[in-house]
C-alpha cells in the first residue's frame, strides 16, 4: 500500500489502515477511492476513474506533487492544476480552485506549504507561495504570496498574522 495514501486514509477516517475494513470503506466512499487512485502510478484505470470522478463530482486533482496527509472535505467541485505543489496535512474543501496563471509576472502554479487549510470556494492562482500553517478563509481570492502563520480573508485577500492559524481546523496531523 502506498505510504502517502495511508497518511491520507488516516486523515480522512481517523483510523489506521485495516485491510478488510479499509477496503469495505473504500467501496462506500468515492473520495477515498479517488485518493487511492491518484496516489497510484498513471494507468488506464486511474485515468478512466479520474475522468468519471471529474464528470460526476467535479474532482480534478491530477497533480503528482501532493504531500502526504491530503484531506478532501465535502469532495465536490475541487480543481487542482497538475503543476500545483502541495505540502503535507493540506485540507481542500468543496469548490476550491488551485489554478495556474498563463501570463504576467505570476505566470505559473501555486506552491503550498505544510498545514494549509483552504476554505469553501476559495481560489489560489498564479505562481505564489503559501507558507506553512496558513488558513485561507472561505470565498477568499489569493494571487499573492502568504507568509507562514497567517489567515487570509476576503476578496481581495487581507492577511492577518496569527500563531497556530490552523489550530482546530487541521486535525489528525501526520
Amino acid at each position: 500500500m502506498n505510504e502517502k495514501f495511508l497518511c491520507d486514509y488516516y486523515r480522512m477516517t481517523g483510523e489506521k489502515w485495516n485491510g478488510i475494513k479499509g477496503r469495505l470503506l473504500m467501496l462506500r466512499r468515492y473520495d477515498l477511492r479517488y485518493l487511492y487512485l491518484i496516489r497510484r502510478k498513471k494507468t488506464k484505470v486511474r485515468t478512466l476513474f479520474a475522468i468519471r470522478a471529474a464528470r460526476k463530482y467535479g474532482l480534478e486533482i491530477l497533480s503528482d506533487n501532493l504531500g502526504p496527509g491530503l484531506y478532501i472535505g465535502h469532495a465536490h467541485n475541487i480543481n487542482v492544476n497538475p503543476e500545483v505543489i502541495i505540502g503535507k496535512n493540506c485540507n481542500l474543501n468543496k469548490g476550491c480552485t488551485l489554478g495556474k496563471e498563463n501570463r504576467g509576472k505570476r505566470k505559473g502554479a501555486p506552491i503550498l506549504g505544510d498545514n494549509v487549510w483552504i476554505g469553501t470556494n476559495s481560489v489560489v492562482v498564479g505562481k505564489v507561495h503559501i507558507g506553512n500553517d496558513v488558513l485561507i478563509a472561505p470565498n477568499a481570492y489569493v494571487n499573492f504570496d502568504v507568509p507562514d502563520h497567517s489567515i487570509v480573508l476576503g476578496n481581495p485577500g487581507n492577511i492577518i498574522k496569527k500563531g497556530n492559524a490552523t489550530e482546530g481546523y487541521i486535525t489528525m496531523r501526520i
Side-chain angles (χ1 to χ4, degrees):
M1 189 66 57
N2 186 324
E3 181 78 26
K4 288 183 179 180
F5 173 73
L6 294 177
C7 295
D8 298 343
Y9 182 85
Y10 172 71
R11 294 258 354 265
M12 295 286 288
T13 63
E15 300 173 358
K16 298 285 184 187
W17 176 260
N18 178 346
I20 294 170
K21 184 179 177 184
R23 284 181 172 80
L24 289 173
L25 194 57
M26 281 177 48
L27 288 174
R28 287 190 314 211
R29 293 186 51 182
Y30 68 90
D31 52 356
L32 287 174
R33 284 194 312 266
Y34 188 78
L35 282 172
Y36 175 73
L37 284 172
I38 65 173
R39 294 296 191 181
R40 295 180 69 188
K41 287 191 248 177
K42 290 184 181 180
T43 62
K44 289 181 182 179
V45 172
R46 174 186 170 184
T47 304
L48 290 173
F49 187 79
I51 291 169
R52 181 176 178 263
R55 287 184 183 151
K56 189 170 184 179
Y57 306 111
L59 287 173
E60 295 181 25
I61 306 172
L62 302 175
S63 178
D64 290 328
N65 303 318
L66 305 173
L70 181 65
Y71 179 88
I72 300 174
H74 305 287
H76 290 283
N77 302 325
I78 297 174
N79 298 301
V80 178
N81 186 281
E83 296 177 22
V84 171
I85 298 172
I86 297 177
K88 69 178 183 176
N89 293 327
C90 183
N91 284 34
L92 302 177
N93 289 296
K94 182 178 181 176
C96 72
T97 300
L98 303 175
K100 178 180 176 182
E101 197 166 300
N102 293 320
R103 58 185 164 75
K105 65 181 180 180
R106 287 184 298 271
K107 182 178 180 179
I111 299 171
L112 279 62
D114 298 339
N115 303 317
V116 175
W117 188 89
I118 300 177
T120 303
N121 296 327
S122 295
V123 177
V124 180
V125 294
K127 188 171 185 162
V128 296
H129 183 270
I130 308 298
N132 299 324
D133 188 38
V134 172
L135 185 142
I136 298 175
N139 297 315
Y141 179 77
V142 180
N143 65 348
F144 50 85
D145 291 341
V146 179
D148 294 350
H149 311 292
S150 301
I151 297 174
V152 180
L153 300 169
N155 181 5
N158 297 319
I159 297 175
I160 300 170
K161 293 273 195 178
K162 182 181 179 193
N164 295 325
T166 58
E167 185 176 8
Y169 287 89
I170 298 180
T171 56
M172 297 173 284
R173 298 175 193 229
I174 54 154

